[in-house]
Amino acid sequence: ILLDKDGKRKHTRPTFSGQQIFALEKTFEQTKYLAGPERARLAYSLGMTESQVKVWFQNRRTKWRKKHAAEMATAKKKQDSETERLKGASEN
């Protein structure tokens, strides 16, 4: 147990094993959201709390959305530049 300077309990981040992360990622590929019973089963099978699984999925969805948005922006830029190129070629 870690204590802060006032002697209160300090929150520590859990570290997950490679096997736990692999199972979480595999489950995330199949479904982005877990219902209560699914979350409970997964948490139990991985030796984690339901809260840890819930937060892991929330964080993973955020990461997934950011990556997806960046990929969409890149694709749009590529499409826009291709449209401009074709537009320029047709004007000549």
Side-chain angles (χ1 to χ4, degrees), residues 3 8-9 12-13 15 20 26-27 30 33 36 47 49-51 57 60 88:
L3 302 176
K8 295 179 187 170
R9 280 184 155 190
T12 57
R13 280 183 84 181
T15 52
Q20 288 171 320
K26 189 174 174 184
T27 305
Q30 295 166 358
Y33 293 86
T49 66
E50 286 186 54
S51 180
F57 265 79
R60 187 63 182 82

Side-chain angles (χ1 to χ4, degrees), residues 33-86:
Y33 293 86
L34 287 181
E38 296 167 320
R39 184 172 56 236
R41 273 193 295 278
L42 183 60
Y44 178 77
S45 71
L46 296 177
M48 299 167 67
T49 66
E50 286 186 54
S51 180
Q52 286 174 322
V53 172
K54 177 184 167 189
V55 171
W56 187 92
F57 265 79
Q58 288 173 338
N59 292 339
R60 187 63 182 82
R61 281 192 299 270
T62 300
K63 180 179 174 182
W64 175 73
R65 281 190 205 104
K66 284 183 184 176
K67 183 180 178 197
H68 185 69
E71 288 171 354
M72 295 302 284
T74 301
K76 177 147 176 44
K77 283 181 188 175
K78 187 176 180 180
Q79 182 182 16
D80 290 349
S81 66
E82 183 65 17
T83 302
E84 286 297 316
R85 189 186 69 76
L86 291 171

